[in-house]
Amino acid sequence: MRTINFMGQRKLALALSAILLVIAIGSLATRQLNWGLDFTGGTLVEVNYSESANLSEIRDLLNASDYAGAIVVSFGSDRDVMIRLPQGHADTEGTALVRLLEDNFDGVVELRRIEFVGPQVGDELREQGGLAMLMALGMVMLYIGFRFQFKFAVGAVAALIHDVVITLGFFSFIGLEFDLTVLAALLAVIGYSLNDTIVVSDRIRENFRKLRKADPIEVINISLSETLGRTLVTSFTTMLVLVCLALFGGEMINGFANALLVGVVVGTYSSIYVAANALVLMGVSKEDLMLPVKEGAEQEDLMP
């Protein structure tokens, strides 16, 4: 099998990751995230039209009335519409909104559901979502440290933080809405990237014990080359599904699909050039991965 010199480009990859992280952190610090209704608080109204609803006309109607800033999306069929009103609207029962919609529609508009999310609930969701991500990263570090070695744990967590920050930066830079579905996608990105990193780490550990005369960079290049086919096939098939969800899944799932699309691309890159690069920077060697010698073991028992 042809071995690709991945680590030959590690300095260029490190510079690219640094640039992307600076842009992402800068955007998060200046533009911040476009928090959705789940985090900012507000009112969610679901209505059903007796005929197909024109979303653009509904948006124009609400912006011209007392509902400026409302988000209008289709929900299920083309007759089901979900309207998200930002915090501050006094119409907590939705009666005035439904009356306005009926007055400008030749048919029946039925109120199906109305939910109110207070600002305190939004703050709690934001805090608990952040704690969930930090806890996930902490548990990942403990698992990788126990399963492999501490240097592998640092590399895996560095790759996961890299993926999460760049994905958040993408949403901040583009201005896409960040709601609970996007938060769920971020946690899924952590799981996806971790799975890829564990596969690569397991092959690196195996080759360190098998290729005893090879230097660390050569072992890492061989390991990455051996797992490249599996990584690309997994990423490609996953992205096919996500592209279909982004294009045809509707507004409700669009943020989830976009977050996973960015996360899969960045996660595939980070499992090669962040996690493995971190091992090289920390000076991983075969001594770090040697099997423990049992007390009283004969010399023949230590031979492979």
Side-chain angles (χ1 to χ4, degrees), residues 141 144-145 149-160 274-275 278-279 282:
M141 191 166 189
I144 299 294
Q149 200 261 353
F150 179 72
K151 292 178 181 178
F152 284 82
V154 173
V157 171
L160 296 181
V274 176
L279 294 176
M282 289 184 292

Side-chain angles (χ1 to χ4, degrees), residues 99-117:
R99 189 181 306 114
L100 174 65
L101 296 175
E102 283 185 334
D103 293 341
N104 292 270
F105 177 70
D106 296 331
V108 179
V109 179
E110 178 186 357
L111 177 63
R112 289 285 182 85
R113 176 169 61 106
I114 182 168
E115 294 180 2
F116 175 74
V117 180

